[in-house]
Amino acid sequence: MSEEEAKTPRVFLARHGETEWAKSGRFTGVSEIPLNAFGEEQVAGTAKILVGPNKLLDPAKLGCVFISPRIRAQSTFELLFDETEKDRLRTEGKVKTTEKLAEWGYGIYEGLKDTEIRALRKERGLDKEKSWDIWRDGCEEGETAQEVTARLDSLIDEIYAIQSPNMRSESPSDVVLVAHGHLLRAFAKRWLRYPMNFPLSMMLPPGSVGILSYHEHDINQPAFFLGMGFLPSKAE
């Protein structure tokens, strides 16, 4: 990462750690499933390496942390930052819980596995011509791709308002989103201005962090980091 890249505002995508439902492949939307012990270790390990003063995700450079209201996301936020950092961020009004980051509403698919959803849809006479694709078809009695798009676009507008005056980090303007697997991948598509059904395969394991930013310090050129390098420490 060059000096110039380091000065461009970033959006960090922090997926919550593992839960028992995530471990078994169950679609988890509104259900309040807590992190399991391994999930807590995942987030703590990520925090140790990536989060802190002069690290990749430096709390002093944050303009806002947006968090899903689900308990697994709230717990992930608590584990990512130390108590002093959390107190300062809250005192400065930079911690916001928002339904815009709630996981995709799975409707009647809540708690089911992918194979079970496909079997259910077959029983209901669906998908005769094409197999189910959540990015195109959404979820029965849950959210459509258009509904998820609308709330994410609204959140992106909020982020632009924070970052557009600070495209060379004139003020702390990095943003962290603490949320869920499907939702954060959906966010990445909308950040890059792709429709939900755009065939962009992405991986974001539990407890991991992805990074979005801008090309050439330009609010009109949203981008993502394909790879990261790290600046040498000041001592070197």
Side-chain angles (χ1 to χ4, degrees):
M1 181 172 58
S2 70
E3 293 277 3
E4 285 301 297
E5 287 170 337
K7 293 178 181 177
T8 307
R10 295 161 294 183
V11 179
F12 294 96
L13 311 180
R15 183 181 176 185
H16 66 75
E18 183 182 86
T19 69
E20 288 306 308
W21 274 24
K23 181 179 179 181
S24 63
R26 297 187 180 278
F27 278 50
T28 317
V30 296
S31 299
E32 292 289 18
I33 311 299
L35 302 183
N36 60 23
F38 183 65
E40 293 178 351
E41 291 176 3
Q42 286 176 316
V43 179
T46 295
K48 183 177 181 180
I49 295 171
L50 297 182
V51 183
N54 300 314
K55 293 184 179 180
L56 179 66
L57 202 170
D58 188 336
K61 296 180 180 180
L62 293 181
C64 195
V65 181
F66 293 98
I67 315 170
S68 161
R70 301 286 81 80
I71 190 171
R72 55 196 184 275
Q74 296 286 323
S75 298
T76 295
F77 167 72
E78 295 293 334
L79 291 166
L80 277 177
F81 298 93
D82 70 23
E83 293 304 321
T84 300
E85 293 163 349
K86 286 183 290 192
D87 288 345
R88 181 181 61 77
L89 289 168
R90 287 185 171 119
T91 298
E92 294 175 355
K94 293 181 176 180
V95 179
K96 299 182 180 181
T97 295
T98 174
E99 285 287 344
K100 293 176 184 178
L101 277 180
E103 180 59 294
W104 196 305
Y106 294 131
I108 64 173
Y109 306 154
E110 182 80 8
L112 301 181
K113 298 179 181 180
D114 184 86
T115 53
E116 294 171 333
I117 294 171
R118 295 181 188 281
L120 175 64
R121 289 178 65 88
K122 184 177 181 179
E123 291 174 4
R124 296 166 70 84
L126 301 173
D127 309 327
K128 292 180 178 179
E129 296 182 2
K130 294 182 179 179
S131 61
W132 176 63
D133 182 351
I134 189 172
W135 307 105
R136 180 189 66 233
D137 304 319
C139 299
E140 293 180 89
E141 298 181 24
E143 283 187 292
T144 66
Q146 292 74 23
E147 288 170 330
V148 175
T149 294
R151 61 182 170 101
L152 290 181
D153 286 358
S154 175
L155 179 59
I156 288 171
D157 286 342
E158 289 187 54
I159 295 170
Y160 282 175
I162 294 169
Q163 296 184 334
S164 59
N166 300 294
M167 293 307 290
R168 294 183 183 271
S169 294
E170 290 84 351
S171 297
S173 54
D174 282 349
V175 168
V176 179
L177 309 182
V178 187
H180 313 271
H182 259 130
L183 197 282
L184 289 174
R185 285 180 285 150
F187 181 91
K189 285 189 177 185
R190 293 307 302 148
W191 183 262
L192 298 172
R193 301 177 180 173
Y194 294 138
M196 283 297 182
N197 62 355
F198 185 82
L200 182 65
S201 296
M202 295 170 283
M203 298 175 67
L204 188 67
S208 65
V209 174
I211 311 171
L212 302 171
S213 188
Y214 306 87
H215 183 61
E216 299 291 343
H217 308 280
D218 186 348
I219 195 77
N220 295 309
Q221 296 190 63
F224 69 96
F225 281 100
L226 187 60
M228 291 292 298
F230 294 91
L231 297 173
S233 66
K234 298 297 183 181
E236 294 178 329

